[in-house]
Amino acid sequence: MWKIGLYSKAHSRVPALNNRLSAFAASRFRRGYHEDVVYGYRVPKKFEYPDYSPEQLKNRQRQAALVCLVEAFRSTGHRATDLDPLKLQKTPTIPELDPARYGLTSSDEQFNLDGILAVGPNQESKTATMAQIHQMLVDTYCGHVAFEFEHIPDTAEKRWFADYVELTSKDNGLDTNKQRRALELLARSETFDNFMQKKFGQVKRYGLEGAESAIVALDELFSLCSQSGITEAVLGMPHRGRLNILIDLLKYPPRALFHKLQGNAEFPETLPASGDVISHISSSPKLNYGGKDDLNVTMLHNPSHLEAVNPVVSGYGRAKQMYLYDKNTDPSCALGDRLIGIQIHGDAAFTGQGVIMETLGLSNLPHFSLGGTVHIIINNQIGYTTPATNARSTLYTSDVGKLVNAPIIHVNGDYPEEVARAMRIAFGYRKLFRKDVIIDLITFRRWGHNELDEPSFTQPQMYNIIRGRKSADHLKGKWSGLVMSTQAVSQLDTGVAKQVLREVGEKSVLVDQAFKVHPRLAKHHIQPRLKHLAEGTSIDWATAESLAFGSLLKEGYNIRLCGQDVGRGTFSQRHAMFVCQETEKVYVPLNNIGAKQGKLEVANSNLSELAVLGFEYGVSIQSPNILPIWEAQFGDFNNTAQVIIDTYVSSGEAKWLRQSGLVMLLPHGYDGAGPEHSSSRIERFLQLCNIPMDMSDASVVQNPNMHVAIPTTPAQIFHLLRRQMKRNYRKPLVVAGPKTLLRLAAAKSTLDDMAPGTSFKPVIPDTLSKACDKVERIIFVAGKHYYDLAAAYGQQAAEVRDRIAIVRIEEICPFPRKEIQDELARFPNAQEYVWCQEETMNAGVISFVQPRLESIIPTNSRLRYIGRPPLAAPVTGISKVFKAEHAEILSKAFLF
């Protein structure tokens, strides 16, 4: 039952408290590395809170026992609160909260509160009796709202929180208009759930029954945002309550929902979308809460994988912030002034899913921060059928938030006005300190995990109590110039004038004379690059990548390069940023090409894959004018981000019509270093691709969900990166990138390979055979293994070389049918067709290419496999075995 009381005017004293804030010093334990001159390096504005005056310090010293009592309530009062709507949790007796423990036995004794407690019996009074003080502490810290903030390491920040809570302790009501608004929202949510249960009783809708006050919390947050000048809110949430919030707050048309519930598509039938279930749909309305501007709320689509949407929210919000920041509409706009991130969580997922910790770990990093996200945990006190005692090792489900020293506010969901107050405190903290804050909204679940589930099988006592209770357009804006793809475009003129290439190439390593570059970089990176650019030859991978970046920046596109050690590059090959050897200042040369260029953000990430890849996917769906690149330190690091790959990268467009131009660079190649870090598991990406297996019918159109490529020359990666931005649609691109090829002398390109009129080649034709009519065996290959074959080819007798052609397949998906057929036509006497790879038979691309190649090679021909046999691990870790296997593969390729 919802308990709404009378309005209190105590909140009128809060502005006076806010006026006492200025900047607070950064923690001395966080060593600075990059400075804010680096593009994308953004940190929140800082505040400081005044320390105790000398008089206050003397008063604290004189009344040390009272100080101990007050600090006990601040640190442990949360354990003596009434938080459980079901009254299943018994409130323990906390000895630390007894005044007698500190020798405070006289209830009539008067105490001076100055510097000890922020509030007295009335606004003017600075003294109170022990009885009054104890009652004030109980009312503040042991009611239906509880606070955890003593774990915050910054003393000034902690003092502010205590003062704010104590000064607003009597602010537990809503004015008449807000009371009506809260009651209306609660009633509408309950009516909606009742209607859905009667009309669609066999649908899993994950209703909000038992947690309706979550709508009051969100409504209060939207109102606070609007009044504070925030114009953008990015919201991510799981299933529970999603439909209630969509209908009651986010203006989702009920007719559209009922249309979907009747088995129809949420998109027009003419659009190429597979759709999704009702608990994943979203809305992006403009809401008017009386502020100067409307509040644009973007609820992102979510998959069924718990909490996977959270890093996507952060990435989407960050990209939106950078867009607003780059527009320079208000140069004084600080991080978090115009946009807020909101994440709603389930209680069991918040404590159990690693993506929570990974996303929290990004929250205060300069290239990832949103300036504070508000987290709301809808705490049902149960995870599916698992009680808290079996679901977590911590006291509260919210304890993982202490990882980033976030303050935590627990609130009983049966008291909507207290819920609104909790949100005001949370928002006040976020507004001033621009850090994450957590509300643990303790509620219950009227039904089981869904409406078709019977919860009393496993929680009979809980559900006896619950059942006895009464109630309580995608391509628009920045995307307007793009279309939905209907056919893959693999070849597009992405060449650039050689004069421009030389210009951006030179500027990619140009620094001021006063900037001290490491001498080894000057000798082995800068000087060779300038030499090869002048000659127009021997262009290596890192240079070609810089030329792609620089030319796109010059055309006005932004680029975000993210991952572990991406500034330098895992193999010390990239050096997109230089660090002064004397000052440690960072300089990104490609951000100094010209006046109207785009910007390159080099975001060296923390050691996370799941959250960081989700973040970059969020960036990619926010704007088509950013080239977002996530580079894994090694290709197999994508394993821990599989949820994002499966539910967003590979299927986001099919389910939700959300295009993404995300690039995943995955270093791949067997080099004798053992099982790990050899394979990017490229076969897993190909398994997710949606193109036909039968390529015999030339009329079949390929429109893949993503592109998968294994380039073998620097020019190829140049064209791939430029193609991502030059097409009139966006698709994810997965690149099994090089390791040893980064410096291989044979794997070089020329500026002519990147000049106007050139493009990416899905197939690189055989260049070794002299007489096409003598070729009997065509060897198809992908990746660096080509160079091993080419070297072995050169060692064969002339009569063997004449009989063999080696064809490189550079793009695996979409499958380059026409280009392969053109190659087949060059060798009319070929009788044998081979796929040769260094990977094992149950890995690599063989399972993907075999049925497709066999559908286009001459009738009755089979594709022969040459490679390693199946293996549980990617490759052997025994060097002698590895070398023997490698030699055997090469031997078989040329054996007749």
Side-chain angles (χ1 to χ4, degrees):
M1 182 177 291
W2 310 307
K3 303 170 179 67
I4 297 182
L6 299 175
Y7 170 59
S8 168
K9 296 184 178 179
H11 69 282
S12 63
R13 301 196 298 274
V14 176
L17 172 66
N18 294 345
N19 291 336
R20 297 163 65 186
L21 288 150
S22 53
F24 90 74
S27 170
R28 61 190 177 93
F29 296 107
R30 297 186 68 195
R31 175 176 175 269
Y33 181 57
H34 294 205
E35 294 190 354
D36 57 8
V37 295
V38 177
Y39 178 76
Y41 186 99
R42 301 196 69 197
V43 295
K45 57 185 179 182
K46 294 177 170 55
F47 296 88
E48 72 176 20
Y49 196 62
D51 196 6
Y52 297 110
S53 68
E55 293 76 14
Q56 289 175 328
L57 287 173
K58 289 179 182 179
N59 189 47
R60 289 174 64 84
Q61 293 163 6
R62 286 192 297 265
Q63 302 184 107
L66 179 59
V67 171
C68 290
L69 177 64
V70 171
E71 292 301 325
F73 270 91
R74 290 171 176 171
S75 60
T76 62
H78 59 88
R79 298 195 61 191
T81 47
D82 176 17
L83 294 176
D84 182 8
L86 302 179
K87 308 300 182 186
L88 287 170
Q89 304 298 324
K90 305 304 180 185
T91 302
T93 299
I94 309 299
E96 293 87 344
L97 305 184
D98 184 358
R101 187 180 182 90
Y102 309 98
L104 303 170
T105 56
S106 175
S107 61
D108 296 328
E109 183 179 356
Q110 290 278 339
F111 291 88
N112 184 345
L113 302 181
D114 191 26
I116 300 175
L117 193 61
V119 63
N122 56 65
Q123 189 171 353
E124 292 75 25
S125 176
K126 290 187 178 181
T127 63
T129 66
M130 187 66 251
Q132 291 174 322
I133 293 170
H134 188 257
Q135 189 59 52
M136 285 187 293
L137 290 171
V138 170
D139 291 344
T140 301
Y141 290 107
C142 301
H144 302 301
V145 186
F147 308 95
E148 290 189 90
F149 58 90
E150 287 291 298
H151 58 276
I152 298 174
D154 189 274
T155 303
E157 188 176 336
K158 194 159 43 182
R159 280 199 60 214
W160 174 88
F161 202 96
D163 286 357
Y164 194 93
V165 167
E166 289 159 12
L167 284 172
T168 60
S169 61
K170 296 181 181 179
D171 176 22
N172 58 358
L174 298 172
D175 62 28
T176 303
N177 290 333
K178 286 199 170 186
Q179 282 184 340
R180 290 196 184 100
R181 170 70 173 171
L183 285 170
E184 177 189 358
L185 290 171
L186 294 168
R188 286 173 59 181
S189 179
E190 184 178 22
T191 301
F192 172 78
D193 278 326
N194 289 339
F195 174 82
M196 292 290 289
Q197 187 64 22
K198 289 180 180 179
K199 297 295 184 181
F200 301 96
Q202 296 304 306
V203 172
K204 296 178 182 179
R205 54 185 169 81
Y206 305 94
L208 198 58
E209 294 137 301
E212 292 93 342
S213 56
I215 288 190
V216 176
L218 207 53
D219 185 64
E220 182 72 9
L221 178 56
F222 288 161
S223 177
L224 292 166
C225 289
S226 178
Q227 301 303 319
S228 299
I230 292 174
T231 58
E232 303 284 343
V234 184
L235 170 64
M237 69 173 295
H239 302 22
R240 186 153 320 281
R242 190 179 185 93
L243 297 183
N244 303 69
I245 289 172
L246 280 166
I247 296 294
D248 295 334
L249 280 184
L250 301 187
K251 298 182 178 180
Y252 192 83
R255 178 174 295 186
L257 175 62
F258 300 144
H259 179 78
K260 174 70 175 174
L261 285 167
Q262 290 168 348
N264 300 304
E266 62 268 43
F267 302 113
E269 294 181 359
T270 55
L271 294 177
S274 60
D276 208 344
V277 296
I278 59 168
S279 53
H280 296 173
I281 57 180
S282 69
S283 180
S284 299
K286 287 187 176 182
L287 304 180
N288 189 329
Y289 277 85
K292 179 181 177 183
D293 300 300
D294 287 342
L295 179 67
N296 301 304
V297 179
T298 302
M299 174 190 270
L300 296 183
H301 294 281
N302 73 300
S304 289
H305 283 272
L306 299 174
E307 309 293 335
V309 72
N310 299 333
V312 181
V313 168
S314 298
Y316 186 97
R318 172 73 182 201
K320 184 69 174 180
Q321 280 184 335
M322 294 304 295
Y323 170 75
L324 297 173
Y325 180 75
D326 289 343
K327 285 177 65 177
N328 285 324
T329 53
D330 182 2
S332 65
C333 181
L335 186 64
D337 277 357
R338 297 289 180 264
L339 183 144
I340 189 170
I342 306 168
Q343 295 180 19
I344 301 179
H345 313 273
D347 52 322
F350 194 81
T351 194
Q353 292 290 308
V355 67
I356 294 291
M357 283 66 90
E358 291 192 32
T359 307
L360 287 172
L362 300 176
S363 62
N364 294 325
L365 301 182
H367 289 278
F368 296 86
S369 174
L370 292 183
T373 292
V374 174
H375 301 265
I376 305 172
I377 303 171
I378 298 181
N379 189 342
N380 298 311
Q381 308 184 67
I382 190 171
Y384 213 108
T385 63
T386 303
T389 52
N390 287 38
R392 64 175 186 263
S393 298
T394 57
L395 178 61
Y396 297 113
T397 187
S398 54
D399 282 347
V400 295
K402 295 175 183 177
L403 171 76
V404 292
N405 303 311
I408 298 165
I409 305 170
H410 308 276
V411 59
N412 188 324
D414 255 6
Y415 297 84
E417 288 178 285
E418 296 281 25
V419 171
R421 177 190 170 222
M423 183 55 73
R424 289 194 291 275
I425 294 171
F427 184 81
Y429 172 85
R430 185 266 175 198
K431 180 179 179 180
L432 297 173
F433 294 99
R434 303 301 163 95
K435 296 180 181 180
D436 286 24
V437 59
I438 298 169
I439 292 179
D440 179 19
L441 179 60
I442 301 171
T443 61
F444 62 91
R445 201 178 62 191
R446 180 163 292 278
W447 306 97
H449 177 66
N450 57 65
E451 287 72 21
L452 308 185
D453 192 31
E454 177 47 67
S456 62
F457 289 156
T458 51
Q459 277 76 35
Q461 292 183 355
M462 173 182 276
Y463 276 87
N464 282 339
I465 295 173
I466 290 173
R467 285 165 178 166
R469 288 173 54 98
K470 295 184 178 179
S471 66
D473 299 320
H474 177 50
L475 296 177
K476 59 184 180 180
K478 297 188 290 293
W479 295 82
S480 58
L482 277 71
V483 300
M484 300 298 297
S485 69
T486 56
Q487 184 173 358
V489 176
S490 289
Q491 290 186 279
L492 184 71
D493 185 352
T494 47
V496 176
K498 288 194 283 186
Q499 179 182 353
V500 174
L501 293 176
R502 285 193 172 96
E503 175 195 351
V504 298
E506 290 169 0
K507 290 188 175 180
S508 72
V509 291
L510 185 64
V511 297
D512 188 88
Q513 286 186 346
F515 191 96
K516 300 301 181 184
V517 175
H518 195 287
R520 285 175 58 188
L521 288 180
K523 182 177 180 180
H524 299 293
H525 180 74
I526 297 176
Q527 293 174 12
R529 178 171 293 188
L530 294 174
K531 176 178 180 294
H532 295 144
L533 285 168
E535 297 170 350
T537 59
S538 298
I539 304 299
D540 62 14
W541 286 83
T543 302
E545 183 186 76
S546 290
L547 297 179
F549 288 171
S551 57
L552 287 171
L553 293 169
K554 192 175 177 67
E555 294 169 20
Y557 296 104
N558 286 343
I559 301 170
R560 181 177 162 91
L561 176 64
C562 180
Q564 298 156 16
D565 198 30
V566 293
R568 186 200 68 166
T570 298
F571 309 99
S572 195
Q573 86 284 1
R574 178 175 291 120
H575 300 290
M577 47 169 264
F578 294 134
V579 179
C580 179
Q581 297 301 295
E582 293 181 350
T583 66
E584 282 201 356
K585 289 187 176 180
V586 172
Y587 183 72
V588 180
L590 283 174
N591 281 334
N592 294 276
I593 296 174
K596 296 183 178 181
Q597 69 165 91
K599 290 295 184 179
L600 168 63
E601 181 173 4
V602 181
N604 289 311
S605 77
N606 64 351
L607 294 182
S608 162
E609 290 83 37
L610 174 57
V612 172
L613 181 61
F615 188 102
E616 300 310 318
Y617 175 83
V619 170
S620 73
I621 63 172
Q622 202 285 318
S623 173
N625 299 318
I626 300 174
L627 175 60
I629 301 171
W630 178 71
E631 181 178 66
Q633 197 168 54
F634 290 95
D636 56 355
F637 280 27
N638 78 80
N639 286 348
T640 57
Q642 196 66 48
V643 168
I644 300 298
I645 295 166
D646 289 349
T647 59
Y648 283 108
V649 178
S650 67
S651 58
E653 183 177 9
K655 292 187 292 188
W656 311 312
L657 295 179
R658 299 305 298 263
Q659 293 191 19
S660 166
L662 176 70
V663 177
M664 297 177 63
L665 297 181
L666 308 176
H668 174 96
Y670 289 15
D671 48 19
E676 271 59 70
H677 308 342
S678 293
S679 172
S680 65
R681 300 290 190 177
I682 195 69
E683 63 276 2
R684 295 178 181 173
F685 291 93
L686 293 170
Q687 187 183 39
L688 296 171
C689 293
N690 63 349
I691 64 170
M693 284 192 176
D694 187 354
M695 292 288 162
S696 58
D697 185 355
S699 66
V700 173
V701 173
Q702 296 185 64
N703 185 28
N705 53 325
M706 57 185 178
H707 287 244
V708 179
I710 313 178
T712 59
T713 73
Q716 290 283 77
I717 194 65
F718 168 85
H719 289 297
L720 276 173
L721 293 173
R722 286 187 52 79
R723 189 184 72 178
Q724 277 296 96
M725 304 306 290
K726 303 307 289 185
R727 292 184 298 200
N728 61 348
Y729 62 85
R730 297 289 179 261
K731 292 279 185 182
L733 169 65
V734 179
V735 178
K739 295 191 294 181
T740 57
L741 297 193
L742 291 170
R743 295 181 174 86
L744 185 69
K748 299 291 176 69
S749 297
T750 68
L751 290 184
D752 287 335
D753 297 329
M754 300 173 243
T758 59
S759 64
F760 174 74
K761 299 176 181 178
V763 170
I764 296 183
D766 172 82
T767 58
L768 302 175
S769 300
K770 304 299 182 185
C772 294
D773 59 340
K774 294 183 180 180
V775 169
E776 299 175 14
R777 176 184 297 169
I778 300 177
I779 300 176
F780 295 99
V781 64
K784 83 171 187 67
H785 190 52
Y786 165 77
Y787 290 99
D788 295 332
L789 285 172
Y793 176 91
Q795 298 171 4
Q796 306 301 313
E799 58 269 21
V800 174
R801 295 198 301 269
D802 287 344
R803 299 167 69 184
I804 290 178
I806 304 177
V807 178
R808 279 177 272 181
I809 310 298
E810 300 279 292
E811 187 165 49
I812 313 301
C813 181
F815 193 70
R817 175 183 54 205
K818 180 182 182 302
E819 290 82 359
I820 292 175
Q821 289 175 328
D822 290 345
E823 275 298 279
L824 293 174
R826 289 179 59 205
F827 308 109
N829 298 318
Q831 301 172 7
E832 188 180 7
Y833 305 91
V834 171
W835 181 267
C836 189
Q837 66 179 37
E838 61 178 353
E839 296 87 357
T840 58
M841 193 174 187
N842 56 330
V845 304
I846 177 61
S847 60
F848 187 85
V849 300
Q850 184 168 12
R852 293 168 175 85
L853 269 175
E854 288 185 344
S855 70
I856 59 176
I857 59 178
T859 306
N860 300 323
S861 297
R862 297 297 302 271
L863 185 69
R864 179 184 165 205
Y865 169 77
I866 297 178
R868 287 181 166 85
L871 192 67
V875 72
T876 178
I878 304 169
S879 60
K880 287 184 179 180
V881 175
F882 176 86
K883 292 175 182 177
E885 289 177 343
H886 186 66
E888 183 181 7
I889 292 171
L890 296 179
S891 174
K892 287 182 177 179
F894 300 103
L895 182 65
F896 282 92

